[in-house]
Amino acid sequence: MAAGAVAAVLAVAAAVTLGKAADKPAAAKPPPLVSTAPAVVRDLPIQFDAQGHLVPLQQVDVRPQATGTIRAIHFKEGEEVKAGQLMFTLDASDVAAQLSKARAAAAQVQAQLDEAQRDLARSRQLARDNFYSASVVDAAEGKVESLRAQLDAMHADIDGSRVLVDRTRVVAPMAGLTGALSVHPGSLAQQGATTPLVNVVQMDPIGVEFTLPEAELPTLLSARATGAVTVALTAPDGSTVEGRLVFINNSVDTATGTIGLKAAFPNTRRLLWPGSFAKLRVTAGVDHGALTLAPQSVLEGPDGRFVYVLDGAGARVAVKPVKLLRIQDQLAVVAGLAGGERVVTEGQQGLKDGMAVRLAK
């Protein structure tokens, strides 16, 4: 057979084969396979996770109230002191001399006053006997009043010198932990110096500064009004320390959209140290009837967050918009569903509103 004839036969056979294949219907693609879980309504504690830093609730810079040489330091840096405990002694020789001088001057004026009062008494007696005129008595009375005024001034000088002497003894203004010393015996302590002698921080209780999004503020304020706010902190040893909220800032930070807060925690074991990082959980009451889903079931599209919900027959899905309130304890707390709906948790890729689906077993 000629080559042209063979080619023609093959072409006819191929056309017949293609025609039969075209007449045969294509196999239908099965619906996508999905997994679902119910939307559950439950009573759920309202909790917010936060991060912050430990801070002392009270901190004082110890500064001298007088200028003088450090004679003695009565504590070791880094140790705890009690309120009123003697910390520093300054050289008191100058002010002690001033106090002695003021006392001596007061004693001299007191002696003069005693003599003037005796003279006044004699003058009054002699005036009654008509030996002295009234002017002599008036002069004696004036002298007594003048010396009394001088004595009052001397007592004021004594009090001022005593204050200066007291200021050479620097005591702890509160109980707390001391920091690094900036002076040593022999150093000059100057009143008004920028660097304090030492600082003292309160260790028990101790505070934590942290922030929360401003959207949580109404819930926090409502719970605080009923005393339902508690704060828990994870200590370095893994234990949980329960505390209380002590401060809510009076304005929202417009740059970050957060509100500043402070909590106080007991610290008897000294596990919590100022400046350290802290992980917190704030509990602000109970959300009764919270609607919860698996977090992966909540998707986000151009129009906001949504979920796929099975229809009553369990054969098709529908798009339902939801509002994500928060993620808590591996649950998504949402609004927008009634509860009890079967929500798609896996297999959402490629789904569309009204699409038929198969349920994974």
Side-chain angles (χ1 to χ4, degrees), residues 258-280:
T258 58
I259 184 73
L261 306 130
K262 186 183 292 185
F265 296 87
N267 191 28
T268 55
R269 295 189 294 161
R270 301 298 190 267
L271 293 176
L272 309 177
W273 215 253
S276 301
F277 173 80
K279 294 180 66 176
L280 306 168

mmCIF file with all atom_site columns, all heavy atoms in Angstrom, residues 258-280:
data_model
loop_
_atom_site.group_PDB
_atom_site.id
_atom_site.type_symbol
_atom_site.label_atom_id
_atom_site.label_alt_id
_atom_site.label_comp_id
_atom_site.label_asym_id
_atom_site.label_entity_id
_atom_site.label_seq_id
_atom_site.pdbx_PDB_ins_code
_atom_site.Cartn_x
_atom_site.Cartn_y
_atom_site.Cartn_z
_atom_site.occupancy
_atom_site.B_iso_or_equiv
_atom_site.pdbx_formal_charge
_atom_site.auth_seq_id
_atom_site.auth_comp_id
_atom_site.auth_asym_id
_atom_site.auth_atom_id
_atom_site.pdbx_PDB_model_num
ATOM 1   N N   . THR A 1 258 ? -3.445 52.142 73.361  1.00 0.00 ? 258 THR A N   1
ATOM 2   C CA  . THR A 1 258 ? -3.462 51.289 74.551  1.00 0.00 ? 258 THR A CA  1
ATOM 3   C C   . THR A 1 258 ? -3.681 52.149 75.787  1.00 0.00 ? 258 THR A C   1
ATOM 4   O O   . THR A 1 258 ? -3.478 53.359 75.783  1.00 0.00 ? 258 THR A O   1
ATOM 5   C CB  . THR A 1 258 ? -2.139 50.515 74.707  1.00 0.00 ? 258 THR A CB  1
ATOM 6   O OG1 . THR A 1 258 ? -1.048 51.456 74.786  1.00 0.00 ? 258 THR A OG1 1
ATOM 7   C CG2 . THR A 1 258 ? -1.912 49.586 73.522  1.00 0.00 ? 258 THR A CG2 1
ATOM 8   N N   . ILE A 1 259 ? -4.084 51.469 76.862  1.00 0.00 ? 259 ILE A N   1
ATOM 9   C CA  . ILE A 1 259 ? -4.285 52.130 78.154  1.00 0.00 ? 259 ILE A CA  1
ATOM 10  C C   . ILE A 1 259 ? -3.262 51.574 79.141  1.00 0.00 ? 259 ILE A C   1
ATOM 11  O O   . ILE A 1 259 ? -3.031 50.360 79.201  1.00 0.00 ? 259 ILE A O   1
ATOM 12  C CB  . ILE A 1 259 ? -5.723 51.919 78.679  1.00 0.00 ? 259 ILE A CB  1
ATOM 13  C CG1 . ILE A 1 259 ? -5.952 52.689 79.976  1.00 0.00 ? 259 ILE A CG1 1
ATOM 14  C CG2 . ILE A 1 259 ? -6.041 50.454 78.832  1.00 0.00 ? 259 ILE A CG2 1
ATOM 15  C CD1 . ILE A 1 259 ? -6.072 54.169 79.788  1.00 0.00 ? 259 ILE A CD1 1
ATOM 16  N N   . GLY A 1 260 ? -2.606 52.458 79.892  1.00 0.00 ? 260 GLY A N   1
ATOM 17  C CA  . GLY A 1 260 ? -1.605 52.032 80.862  1.00 0.00 ? 260 GLY A CA  1
ATOM 18  C C   . GLY A 1 260 ? -2.236 51.603 82.171  1.00 0.00 ? 260 GLY A C   1
ATOM 19  O O   . GLY A 1 260 ? -3.172 52.233 82.666  1.00 0.00 ? 260 GLY A O   1
ATOM 20  N N   . LEU A 1 261 ? -1.719 50.514 82.746  1.00 0.00 ? 261 LEU A N   1
ATOM 21  C CA  . LEU A 1 261 ? -2.245 49.958 83.996  1.00 0.00 ? 261 LEU A CA  1
ATOM 22  C C   . LEU A 1 261 ? -1.097 49.571 84.907  1.00 0.00 ? 261 LEU A C   1
ATOM 23  O O   . LEU A 1 261 ? 0.051  49.412 84.474  1.00 0.00 ? 261 LEU A O   1
ATOM 24  C CB  . LEU A 1 261 ? -3.117 48.732 83.713  1.00 0.00 ? 261 LEU A CB  1
ATOM 25  C CG  . LEU A 1 261 ? -4.255 48.932 82.716  1.00 0.00 ? 261 LEU A CG  1
ATOM 26  C CD1 . LEU A 1 261 ? -4.223 47.845 81.673  1.00 0.00 ? 261 LEU A CD1 1
ATOM 27  C CD2 . LEU A 1 261 ? -5.584 48.937 83.401  1.00 0.00 ? 261 LEU A CD2 1
ATOM 28  N N   . LYS A 1 262 ? -1.431 49.404 86.184  1.00 0.00 ? 262 LYS A N   1
ATOM 29  C CA  . LYS A 1 262 ? -0.444 48.956 87.168  1.00 0.00 ? 262 LYS A CA  1
ATOM 30  C C   . LYS A 1 262 ? -1.127 48.012 88.145  1.00 0.00 ? 262 LYS A C   1
ATOM 31  O O   . LYS A 1 262 ? -2.254 48.266 88.580  1.00 0.00 ? 262 LYS A O   1
ATOM 32  C CB  . LYS A 1 262 ? 0.166  50.139 87.909  1.00 0.00 ? 262 LYS A CB  1
ATOM 33  C CG  . LYS A 1 262 ? 1.313  49.762 88.851  1.00 0.00 ? 262 LYS A CG  1
ATOM 34  C CD  . LYS A 1 262 ? 1.804  50.982 89.607  1.00 0.00 ? 262 LYS A CD  1
ATOM 35  C CE  . LYS A 1 262 ? 2.492  51.961 88.699  1.00 0.00 ? 262 LYS A CE  1
ATOM 36  N NZ  . LYS A 1 262 ? 3.078  53.088 89.465  1.00 0.00 ? 262 LYS A NZ  1
ATOM 37  N N   . ALA A 1 263 ? -0.450 46.927 88.475  1.00 0.00 ? 263 ALA A N   1
ATOM 38  C CA  . ALA A 1 263 ? -0.954 45.951 89.438  1.00 0.00 ? 263 ALA A CA  1
ATOM 39  C C   . ALA A 1 263 ? 0.073  45.761 90.548  1.00 0.00 ? 263 ALA A C   1
ATOM 40  O O   . ALA A 1 263 ? 1.266  46.013 90.352  1.00 0.00 ? 263 ALA A O   1
ATOM 41  C CB  . ALA A 1 263 ? -1.251 44.615 88.761  1.00 0.00 ? 263 ALA A CB  1
ATOM 42  N N   . ALA A 1 264 ? -0.404 45.345 91.722  1.00 0.00 ? 264 ALA A N   1
ATOM 43  C CA  . ALA A 1 264 ? 0.465  45.104 92.873  1.00 0.00 ? 264 ALA A CA  1
ATOM 44  C C   . ALA A 1 264 ? 0.425  43.632 93.245  1.00 0.00 ? 264 ALA A C   1
ATOM 45  O O   . ALA A 1 264 ? -0.636 43.001 93.202  1.00 0.00 ? 264 ALA A O   1
ATOM 46  C CB  . ALA A 1 264 ? 0.030  45.959 94.062  1.00 0.00 ? 264 ALA A CB  1
ATOM 47  N N   . PHE A 1 265 ? 1.606  43.085 93.624  1.00 0.00 ? 265 PHE A N   1
ATOM 48  C CA  . PHE A 1 265 ? 1.738  41.666 93.955  1.00 0.00 ? 265 PHE A CA  1
ATOM 49  C C   . PHE A 1 265 ? 2.542  41.504 95.240  1.00 0.00 ? 265 PHE A C   1
ATOM 50  O O   . PHE A 1 265 ? 3.513  42.239 95.468  1.00 0.00 ? 265 PHE A O   1
ATOM 51  C CB  . PHE A 1 265 ? 2.450  40.911 92.827  1.00 0.00 ? 265 PHE A CB  1
ATOM 52  C CG  . PHE A 1 265 ? 1.712  40.892 91.538  1.00 0.00 ? 265 PHE A CG  1
ATOM 53  C CD1 . PHE A 1 265 ? 1.870  41.927 90.613  1.00 0.00 ? 265 PHE A CD1 1
ATOM 54  C CD2 . PHE A 1 265 ? 0.846  39.867 91.214  1.00 0.00 ? 265 PHE A CD2 1
ATOM 55  C CE1 . PHE A 1 265 ? 1.190  41.935 89.409  1.00 0.00 ? 265 PHE A CE1 1
ATOM 56  C CE2 . PHE A 1 265 ? 0.155  39.861 90.016  1.00 0.00 ? 265 PHE A CE2 1
ATOM 57  C CZ  . PHE A 1 265 ? 0.328  40.891 89.119  1.00 0.00 ? 265 PHE A CZ  1
ATOM 58  N N   . PRO A 1 266 ? 2.168  40.536 96.080  1.00 0.00 ? 266 PRO A N   1
ATOM 59  C CA  . PRO A 1 266 ? 3.009  40.233 97.248  1.00 0.00 ? 266 PRO A CA  1
ATOM 60  C C   . PRO A 1 266 ? 4.339  39.657 96.795  1.00 0.00 ? 266 PRO A C   1
ATOM 61  O O   . PRO A 1 266 ? 4.413  38.942 95.791  1.00 0.00 ? 266 PRO A O   1
ATOM 62  C CB  . PRO A 1 266 ? 2.171  39.201 98.015  1.00 0.00 ? 266 PRO A CB  1
ATOM 63  C CG  . PRO A 1 266 ? 1.273  38.585 96.985  1.00 0.00 ? 266 PRO A CG  1
ATOM 64  C CD  . PRO A 1 266 ? 0.979  39.670 95.994  1.00 0.00 ? 266 PRO A CD  1
ATOM 65  N N   . ASN A 1 267 ? 5.398  39.979 97.551  1.00 0.00 ? 267 ASN A N   1
ATOM 66  C CA  . ASN A 1 267 ? 6.740  39.559 97.137  1.00 0.00 ? 267 ASN A CA  1
ATOM 67  C C   . ASN A 1 267 ? 7.576  39.180 98.353  1.00 0.00 ? 267 ASN A C   1
ATOM 68  O O   . ASN A 1 267 ? 8.719  39.593 98.496  1.00 0.00 ? 267 ASN A O   1
ATOM 69  C CB  . ASN A 1 267 ? 7.415  40.694 96.354  1.00 0.00 ? 267 ASN A CB  1
ATOM 70  C CG  . ASN A 1 267 ? 8.684  40.257 95.656  1.00 0.00 ? 267 ASN A CG  1
ATOM 71  O OD1 . ASN A 1 267 ? 8.838  39.097 95.293  1.00 0.00 ? 267 ASN A OD1 1
ATOM 72  N ND2 . ASN A 1 267 ? 9.612  41.181 95.479  1.00 0.00 ? 267 ASN A ND2 1
ATOM 73  N N   . THR A 1 268 ? 6.963  38.405 99.241  1.00 0.00 ? 268 THR A N   1
ATOM 74  C CA  . THR A 1 268 ? 7.657  38.037 100.478 1.00 0.00 ? 268 THR A CA  1
ATOM 75  C C   . THR A 1 268 ? 8.881  37.188 100.214 1.00 0.00 ? 268 THR A C   1
ATOM 76  O O   . THR A 1 268 ? 9.862  37.250 100.957 1.00 0.00 ? 268 THR A O   1
ATOM 77  C CB  . THR A 1 268 ? 6.694  37.288 101.417 1.00 0.00 ? 268 THR A CB  1
ATOM 78  O OG1 . THR A 1 268 ? 6.139  36.155 100.719 1.00 0.00 ? 268 THR A OG1 1
ATOM 79  C CG2 . THR A 1 268 ? 5.555  38.192 101.851 1.00 0.00 ? 268 THR A CG2 1
ATOM 80  N N   . ARG A 1 269 ? 8.858  36.387 99.150  1.00 0.00 ? 269 ARG A N   1
ATOM 81  C CA  . ARG A 1 269 ? 10.010 35.518 98.849  1.00 0.00 ? 269 ARG A CA  1
ATOM 82  C C   . ARG A 1 269 ? 11.045 36.221 97.987  1.00 0.00 ? 269 ARG A C   1
ATOM 83  O O   . ARG A 1 269 ? 12.075 35.615 97.649  1.00 0.00 ? 269 ARG A O   1
ATOM 84  C CB  . ARG A 1 269 ? 9.532  34.251 98.154  1.00 0.00 ? 269 ARG A CB  1
ATOM 85  C CG  . ARG A 1 269 ? 8.652  33.359 99.008  1.00 0.00 ? 269 ARG A CG  1
ATOM 86  C CD  . ARG A 1 269 ? 8.407  32.027 98.318  1.00 0.00 ? 269 ARG A CD  1
ATOM 87  N NE  . ARG A 1 269 ? 7.622  32.180 97.094  1.00 0.00 ? 269 ARG A NE  1
ATOM 88  C CZ  . ARG A 1 269 ? 7.581  31.268 96.129  1.00 0.00 ? 269 ARG A CZ  1
ATOM 89  N NH1 . ARG A 1 269 ? 8.308  30.163 96.233  1.00 0.00 ? 269 ARG A NH1 1
ATOM 90  N NH2 . ARG A 1 269 ? 6.822  31.465 95.062  1.00 0.00 ? 269 ARG A NH2 1
ATOM 91  N N   . ARG A 1 270 ? 10.794 37.465 97.614  1.00 0.00 ? 270 ARG A N   1
ATOM 92  C CA  . ARG A 1 270 ? 11.733 38.251 96.811  1.00 0.00 ? 270 ARG A CA  1
ATOM 93  C C   . ARG A 1 270 ? 12.059 37.573 95.480  1.00 0.00 ? 270 ARG A C   1
ATOM 94  O O   . ARG A 1 270 ? 13.172 37.680 94.967  1.00 0.00 ? 270 ARG A O   1
ATOM 95  C CB  . ARG A 1 270 ? 13.023 38.531 97.584  1.00 0.00 ? 270 ARG A CB  1
ATOM 96  C CG  . ARG A 1 270 ? 12.822 39.281 98.897  1.00 0.00 ? 270 ARG A CG  1
ATOM 97  C CD  . ARG A 1 270 ? 12.216 40.655 98.658  1.00 0.00 ? 270 ARG A CD  1
ATOM 98  N NE  . ARG A 1 270 ? 12.214 41.482 99.843  1.00 0.00 ? 270 ARG A NE  1
ATOM 99  C CZ  . ARG A 1 270 ? 11.205 41.565 100.702 1.00 0.00 ? 270 ARG A CZ  1
ATOM 100 N NH1 . ARG A 1 270 ? 10.098 40.844 100.502 1.00 0.00 ? 270 ARG A NH1 1
ATOM 101 N NH2 . ARG A 1 270 ? 11.271 42.358 101.749 1.00 0.00 ? 270 ARG A NH2 1
ATOM 102 N N   . LEU A 1 271 ? 11.068 36.897 94.894  1.00 0.00 ? 271 LEU A N   1
ATOM 103 C CA  . LEU A 1 271 ? 11.266 36.303 93.575  1.00 0.00 ? 271 LEU A CA  1
ATOM 104 C C   . LEU A 1 271 ? 11.114 37.332 92.462  1.00 0.00 ? 271 LEU A C   1
ATOM 105 O O   . LEU A 1 271 ? 11.652 37.159 91.368  1.00 0.00 ? 271 LEU A O   1
ATOM 106 C CB  . LEU A 1 271 ? 10.257 35.168 93.352  1.00 0.00 ? 271 LEU A CB  1
ATOM 107 C CG  . LEU A 1 271 ? 10.403 33.921 94.232  1.00 0.00 ? 271 LEU A CG  1
ATOM 108 C CD1 . LEU A 1 271 ? 9.273  32.943 93.935  1.00 0.00 ? 271 LEU A CD1 1
ATOM 109 C CD2 . LEU A 1 271 ? 11.754 33.260 93.986  1.00 0.00 ? 271 LEU A CD2 1
ATOM 110 N N   . LEU A 1 272 ? 10.371 38.396 92.745  1.00 0.00 ? 272 LEU A N   1
ATOM 111 C CA  . LEU A 1 272 ? 10.086 39.420 91.748  1.00 0.00 ? 272 LEU A CA  1
ATOM 112 C C   . LEU A 1 272 ? 11.026 40.595 91.958  1.00 0.00 ? 272 LEU A C   1
ATOM 113 O O   . LEU A 1 272 ? 11.148 41.110 93.078  1.00 0.00 ? 272 LEU A O   1
ATOM 114 C CB  . LEU A 1 272 ? 8.627  39.867 91.857  1.00 0.00 ? 272 LEU A CB  1
ATOM 115 C CG  . LEU A 1 272 ? 7.596  38.722 91.849  1.00 0.00 ? 272 LEU A CG  1
ATOM 116 C CD1 . LEU A 1 272 ? 6.194  39.277 92.030  1.00 0.00 ? 272 LEU A CD1 1
ATOM 117 C CD2 . LEU A 1 272 ? 7.700  37.913 90.557  1.00 0.00 ? 272 LEU A CD2 1
ATOM 118 N N   . TRP A 1 273 ? 11.690 41.017 90.884  1.00 0.00 ? 273 TRP A N   1
ATOM 119 C CA  . TRP A 1 273 ? 12.745 42.024 90.992  1.00 0.00 ? 273 TRP A CA  1
ATOM 120 C C   . TRP A 1 273 ? 12.438 43.198 90.074  1.00 0.00 ? 273 TRP A C   1
ATOM 121 O O   . TRP A 1 273 ? 12.049 43.013 88.920  1.00 0.00 ? 273 TRP A O   1
ATOM 122 C CB  . TRP A 1 273 ? 14.089 41.401 90.596  1.00 0.00 ? 273 TRP A CB  1
ATOM 123 C CG  . TRP A 1 273 ? 15.238 41.930 91.393  1.00 0.00 ? 273 TRP A CG  1
ATOM 124 C CD1 . TRP A 1 273 ? 16.212 42.784 90.962  1.00 0.00 ? 273 TRP A CD1 1
ATOM 125 C CD2 . TRP A 1 273 ? 15.567 41.617 92.745  1.00 0.00 ? 273 TRP A CD2 1
ATOM 126 N NE1 . TRP A 1 273 ? 17.113 43.041 91.969  1.00 0.00 ? 273 TRP A NE1 1
ATOM 127 C CE2 . TRP A 1 273 ? 16.744 42.341 93.081  1.00 0.00 ? 273 TRP A CE2 1
ATOM 128 C CE3 . TRP A 1 273 ? 14.967 40.825 93.725  1.00 0.00 ? 273 TRP A CE3 1
ATOM 129 C CZ2 . TRP A 1 273 ? 17.327 42.280 94.339  1.00 0.00 ? 273 TRP A CZ2 1
ATOM 130 C CZ3 . TRP A 1 273 ? 15.560 40.758 94.979  1.00 0.00 ? 273 TRP A CZ3 1
ATOM 131 C CH2 . TRP A 1 273 ? 16.726 41.472 95.267  1.00 0.00 ? 273 TRP A CH2 1
ATOM 132 N N   . PRO A 1 274 ? 12.576 44.428 90.559  1.00 0.00 ? 274 PRO A N   1
ATOM 133 C CA  . PRO A 1 274 ? 12.272 45.588 89.718  1.00 0.00 ? 274 PRO A CA  1
ATOM 134 C C   . PRO A 1 274 ? 13.051 45.576 88.410  1.00 0.00 ? 274 PRO A C   1
ATOM 135 O O   . PRO A 1 274 ? 14.244 45.250 88.374  1.00 0.00 ? 274 PRO A O   1
ATOM 136 C CB  . PRO A 1 274 ? 12.694 46.772 90.600  1.00 0.00 ? 274 PRO A CB  1
ATOM 137 C CG  . PRO A 1 274 ? 12.579 46.259 91.997  1.00 0.00 ? 274 PRO A CG  1
ATOM 138 C CD  . PRO A 1 274 ? 12.963 44.812 91.931  1.00 0.00 ? 274 PRO A CD  1
ATOM 139 N N   . GLY A 1 275 ? 12.350 45.918 87.331  1.00 0.00 ? 275 GLY A N   1
ATOM 140 C CA  . GLY A 1 275 ? 12.952 45.960 86.009  1.00 0.00 ? 275 GLY A CA  1
ATOM 141 C C   . GLY A 1 275 ? 12.803 44.682 85.211  1.00 0.00 ? 275 GLY A C   1
ATOM 142 O O   . GLY A 1 275 ? 13.047 44.677 84.004  1.00 0.00 ? 275 GLY A O   1
ATOM 143 N N   . SER A 1 276 ? 12.401 43.587 85.861  1.00 0.00 ? 276 SER A N   1
ATOM 144 C CA  . SER A 1 276 ? 12.278 42.299 85.176  1.00 0.00 ? 276 SER A CA  1
ATOM 145 C C   . SER A 1 276 ? 11.029 42.253 84.301  1.00 0.00 ? 276 SER A C   1
ATOM 146 O O   . SER A 1 276 ? 10.035 42.940 84.563  1.00 0.00 ? 276 SER A O   1
ATOM 147 C CB  . SER A 1 276 ? 12.236 41.153 86.195  1.00 0.00 ? 276 SER A CB  1
ATOM 148 O OG  . SER A 1 276 ? 13.399 41.131 86.983  1.00 0.00 ? 276 SER A OG  1
ATOM 149 N N   . PHE A 1 277 ? 11.082 41.413 83.276  1.00 0.00 ? 277 PHE A N   1
ATOM 150 C CA  . PHE A 1 277 ? 9.941  41.179 82.389  1.00 0.00 ? 277 PHE A CA  1
ATOM 151 C C   . PHE A 1 277 ? 8.908  40.328 83.119  1.00 0.00 ? 277 PHE A C   1
ATOM 152 O O   . PHE A 1 277 ? 9.258  39.456 83.920  1.00 0.00 ? 277 PHE A O   1
ATOM 153 C CB  . PHE A 1 277 ? 10.429 40.481 81.120  1.00 0.00 ? 277 PHE A CB  1
ATOM 154 C CG  . PHE A 1 277 ? 9.329  40.034 80.196  1.00 0.00 ? 277 PHE A CG  1
ATOM 155 C CD1 . PHE A 1 277 ? 8.711  40.925 79.343  1.00 0.00 ? 277 PHE A CD1 1
ATOM 156 C CD2 . PHE A 1 277 ? 8.912  38.714 80.185  1.00 0.00 ? 277 PHE A CD2 1
ATOM 157 C CE1 . PHE A 1 277 ? 7.698  40.514 78.496  1.00 0.00 ? 277 PHE A CE1 1
ATOM 158 C CE2 . PHE A 1 277 ? 7.911  38.288 79.338  1.00 0.00 ? 277 PHE A CE2 1
ATOM 159 C CZ  . PHE A 1 277 ? 7.299  39.195 78.487  1.00 0.00 ? 277 PHE A CZ  1
ATOM 160 N N   . ALA A 1 278 ? 7.634  40.572 82.838  1.00 0.00 ? 278 ALA A N   1
ATOM 161 C CA  . ALA A 1 278 ? 6.563  39.827 83.513  1.00 0.00 ? 278 ALA A CA  1
ATOM 162 C C   . ALA A 1 278 ? 5.452  39.496 82.516  1.00 0.00 ? 278 ALA A C   1
ATOM 163 O O   . ALA A 1 278 ? 5.093  40.323 81.677  1.00 0.00 ? 278 ALA A O   1
ATOM 164 C CB  . ALA A 1 278 ? 5.989  40.644 84.668  1.00 0.00 ? 278 ALA A CB  1
ATOM 165 N N   . LYS A 1 279 ? 4.932  38.263 82.612  1.00 0.00 ? 279 LYS A N   1
ATOM 166 C CA  . LYS A 1 279 ? 3.774  37.829 81.826  1.00 0.00 ? 279 LYS A CA  1
ATOM 167 C C   . LYS A 1 279 ? 2.564  37.806 82.757  1.00 0.00 ? 279 LYS A C   1
ATOM 168 O O   . LYS A 1 279 ? 2.617  37.226 83.841  1.00 0.00 ? 279 LYS A O   1
ATOM 169 C CB  . LYS A 1 279 ? 4.016  36.449 81.218  1.00 0.00 ? 279 LYS A CB  1
ATOM 170 C CG  . LYS A 1 279 ? 5.119  36.424 80.176  1.00 0.00 ? 279 LYS A CG  1
ATOM 171 C CD  . LYS A 1 279 ? 5.307  35.026 79.607  1.00 0.00 ? 279 LYS A CD  1
ATOM 172 C CE  . LYS A 1 279 ? 4.092  34.580 78.818  1.00 0.00 ? 279 LYS A CE  1
ATOM 173 N NZ  . LYS A 1 279 ? 4.289  33.263 78.176  1.00 0.00 ? 279 LYS A NZ  1
ATOM 174 N N   . LEU A 1 280 ? 1.476  38.434 82.310  1.00 0.00 ? 280 LEU A N   1
ATOM 175 C CA  . LEU A 1 280 ? 0.314  38.611 83.160  1.00 0.00 ? 280 LEU A CA  1
ATOM 176 C C   . LEU A 1 280 ? -0.934 38.049 82.494  1.00 0.00 ? 280 LEU A C   1
ATOM 177 O O   . LEU A 1 280 ? -1.010 37.948 81.267  1.00 0.00 ? 280 LEU A O   1
ATOM 178 C CB  . LEU A 1 280 ? 0.063  40.100 83.441  1.00 0.00 ? 280 LEU A CB  1
ATOM 179 C CG  . LEU A 1 280 ? 1.217  40.918 84.010  1.00 0.00 ? 280 LEU A CG  1
ATOM 180 C CD1 . LEU A 1 280 ? 0.891  42.385 83.934  1.00 0.00 ? 280 LEU A CD1 1
ATOM 181 C CD2 . LEU A 1 280 ? 1.477  40.516 85.441  1.00 0.00 ? 280 LEU A CD2 1
#
